[in-house]
Amino acid sequence: MNEAAYRDLIERHVEAVLALIRGDAQIANVVFEGDVTGDPGMYVNVWHDTGFYSAHDASDTPVDVEVTFTVHSVGRDRWQAVWASGRVTARVLGVVPQIEGRRCWRIAPAGSVPVARDDDASPLRFIARDRFTLRSTPKPTT
């Protein structure tokens, strides 16, 4: 698998998770991947790592994928951050996404951090941080 194919594979995982989160109409318009546009009072920012690959085939080609997502749920007060974090968790936790050509596992929790003040932000914001992992392997061909 070449570099472009790996990037595409990871992006398909990212798009699947973003689609799940954006499926919640109450936060759909304030879900970002990386850069936040405008000045939303409350928003969700989804970050992901570059993915972890393991080789489990005879050619020693990396085929198993694990992507870790770090989700920042940001609000003007701690309750907005907690509320947004709860909405995200309800949308993704335990869900098995559908990714073409892949067999996915349930999205699993990978830790969280209690809500904290972001004293560097002006105006003051509160952030809840949650991490989730999504694992997949190639779908068996019949």
Side-chain angles (χ1 to χ4, degrees), residues 38-86:
D39 186 25
M42 183 209 53
Y43 61 92
V44 172
N45 201 345
V46 180
W47 299 87
H48 63 88
D49 65 8
T50 57
F52 171 77
Y53 309 94
S54 334
H56 288 194
D57 69 359
S59 67
D60 204 33
T61 302
V63 292
D64 295 3
V65 174
E66 178 179 301
V67 181
T68 300
F69 296 86
T70 302
V71 180
H72 295 175
S73 300
V74 180
R76 288 192 173 124
D77 60 45
R78 76 183 292 268
W79 298 112
Q80 274 188 337
V82 168
W83 180 83
S85 173

Side-chain angles (χ1 to χ4, degrees), residues 9-27:
L9 180 59
I10 296 305
E11 279 306 310
R12 289 190 289 142
H13 286 71
V14 171
E15 289 304 318
V17 170
L18 285 170
L20 285 170
I21 296 170
R22 288 180 175 138
D24 183 329
Q26 294 189 42
I27 60 173

Side-chain angles (χ1 to χ4, degrees), residues 82-102:
V82 168
W83 180 83
S85 173
R87 304 296 300 185
V88 169
T89 300
R91 293 294 302 170
V92 302
L93 193 60
V95 173
V96 179
Q98 299 299 310
I99 299 173
E100 185 178 336
R102 305 294 296 178

